[in-house]
Amino acid sequence: MFPQLGLKASSDPAQIEDRLKYHPQTFEFFTDVHNFTPAGLAELKAGIRSVQGAGIDQIVIHQPMKFGDIHSELAAPQAAFPDLYDFIERSTAILLELASEFDLQILVHGGYSGDFPRVIPFYPSLEAAQAAVLNRLDRFQELGGTHIMFENSISPIFYYGDEKEDLYIFEKGYRLAFDTSHCFIKNQGSNEKLLASMKRLKEHVVHYHLVDSMGETHDSLPLGKGKIDWEKALPLMNDDATSIYEIILKDQRDASEQVASHEYLLGLADKLRNA
């Protein structure tokens, strides 16, 4: 299936219209708290219908990244962060209802590095925080079945790139979303560790966030503008998985940088085929 054109947008009709003119094979919705109000949910459902009406049946909905001033951090304990905890539970339940109604996929982020310092003091150890997150993911997996996937972060709570951690996650049998830049950054810009992780987890990866990076900060660069070795990475991707280009855009109503990344990968694929 690779390379396939996968694009990302919010439920904003103008963004959706822009993406659909490129005829993507996969469409990912970026949601926020607004989408879990009656008006916002109605807008999201209308967007899903527009995308499906364009003949796209590979749709992923990303759970909101933030709730107020904090990320949707699964490690946040209910007692200390009751509103955040309840929002994650409620938004997951609503997304799973959408997944059933429209036969689509939902994506839950396993952690966020930005708020790690806010939640880790509530645990006796990093291992205890990881156990709490994995228990929550186990429950979400049981609820979501083949409609849910979990994405790696840069946080030490849920990440890819360490052999021991990868093998443990692999044995859990989770359906995985693999963000290339997150893995690359977490491993200090090591292509060796990124490629090894892609190979180890390949069988369970159902969706990719294809993003380049310099390997130092969360820079979300177009493919070919960072230090990821895409020529070696491309053959390690699961051909049965979907993917999107999760690039920072200058204008959210113009997917040019996402499309340029696809053109880059198409050129690389042709080079590999003709080698």
Side-chain angles (χ1 to χ4, degrees):
M1 183 180 292
F2 278 96
Q4 63 151 226
L5 178 58
L7 300 178
K8 182 176 181 178
S10 73
S11 59
D12 173 16
Q15 289 189 34
I16 295 170
E17 182 181 3
D18 171 73
R19 307 314 188 254
L20 292 183
K21 72 184 182 185
Y22 296 106
H23 308 289
Q25 294 162 279
T26 299
F27 196 105
E28 182 172 321
F29 282 95
F30 174 88
T31 62
D32 57 23
V33 173
H34 165 70
N35 290 120
F36 297 87
T37 65
L41 185 58
E43 181 180 84
L44 179 58
K45 287 185 176 183
I48 294 169
R49 293 188 183 98
S50 293
V51 172
Q52 289 186 330
I56 302 167
D57 57 9
Q58 296 176 164
I59 298 175
V60 178
I61 305 183
H62 195 303
Q63 189 176 48
M65 291 179 60
K66 297 199 73 174
F67 178 76
D69 68 345
I70 189 169
H71 285 90
S72 297
E73 175 58 71
L74 295 186
Q78 185 174 18
F81 300 89
D83 292 340
L84 171 61
Y85 188 95
D86 291 346
F87 175 73
I88 292 174
E89 292 293 313
R90 184 171 66 87
S91 61
T92 302
I94 291 172
L95 289 174
L96 287 174
E97 290 175 4
L98 292 176
S100 178
E101 179 180 354
F102 293 99
D103 190 21
L104 47 77
Q105 300 285 307
I106 74 165
L107 185 155
V108 173
H109 220 279
Y112 290 93
S113 60
D115 289 305
F116 174 76
R118 294 177 64 175
V119 301
I120 197 63
F122 294 95
Y123 294 93
S125 65
L126 173 61
E127 290 74 20
Q130 288 177 311
V133 168
L134 292 171
N135 285 337
R136 210 168 181 187
L137 293 180
D138 286 345
R139 181 162 54 82
F140 288 161
Q141 178 180 240
E142 185 176 353
L143 290 171
T146 58
H147 287 290
I148 196 167
M149 64 182 76
F150 306 129
E151 182 185 346
N152 58 312
S153 70
I154 303 171
S155 163
I157 292 179
F158 189 82
Y159 66 95
Y160 306 154
D162 176 84
E163 183 174 6
K164 182 180 177 181
E165 294 288 337
D166 284 356
L167 293 176
Y168 186 77
I169 290 171
F170 186 90
E171 291 301 319
K172 297 289 283 184
Y174 295 149
R175 301 175 75 250
L176 303 176
F178 197 116
D179 187 300
T180 54
S181 70
H182 291 170
C183 184
F184 192 61
I185 297 163
K186 176 61 180 173
N187 292 283
Q188 293 80 48
S190 170
N191 271 293
E192 181 181 0
K193 290 184 177 181
L194 168 65
L195 298 171
S197 185
M198 292 178 72
K199 185 175 182 179
R200 277 193 293 266
L201 297 174
K202 178 179 178 178
E203 182 181 336
H204 289 170
V205 175
V206 298
H207 186 59
Y208 291 94
H209 282 175
L210 303 178
V211 202
D212 215 333
S213 173
M214 298 303 288
E216 298 176 1
T217 61
H218 196 251
D219 39 5
S220 300
L221 300 176
L223 273 61
K225 301 298 183 182
K227 294 183 177 180
I228 290 179
D229 189 339
W230 293 103
E231 187 168 348
K232 292 181 180 177
L234 184 56
L236 296 176
M237 295 178 192
N238 188 334
D239 285 337
D240 293 326
T242 55
S243 64
I244 61 135
Y245 299 97
E246 197 179 41
I247 313 302
I248 290 180
L249 302 176
K250 296 175 184 175
D251 179 353
Q252 290 298 328
R253 296 185 176 187
D254 180 358
S256 296
E257 292 92 342
Q258 294 180 32
V259 176
S261 288
H262 183 59
E263 294 297 329
Y264 171 85
L265 208 58
L266 283 176
L268 192 56
D270 285 341
K271 177 183 175 182
L272 291 172
R273 279 192 292 267
N274 296 324

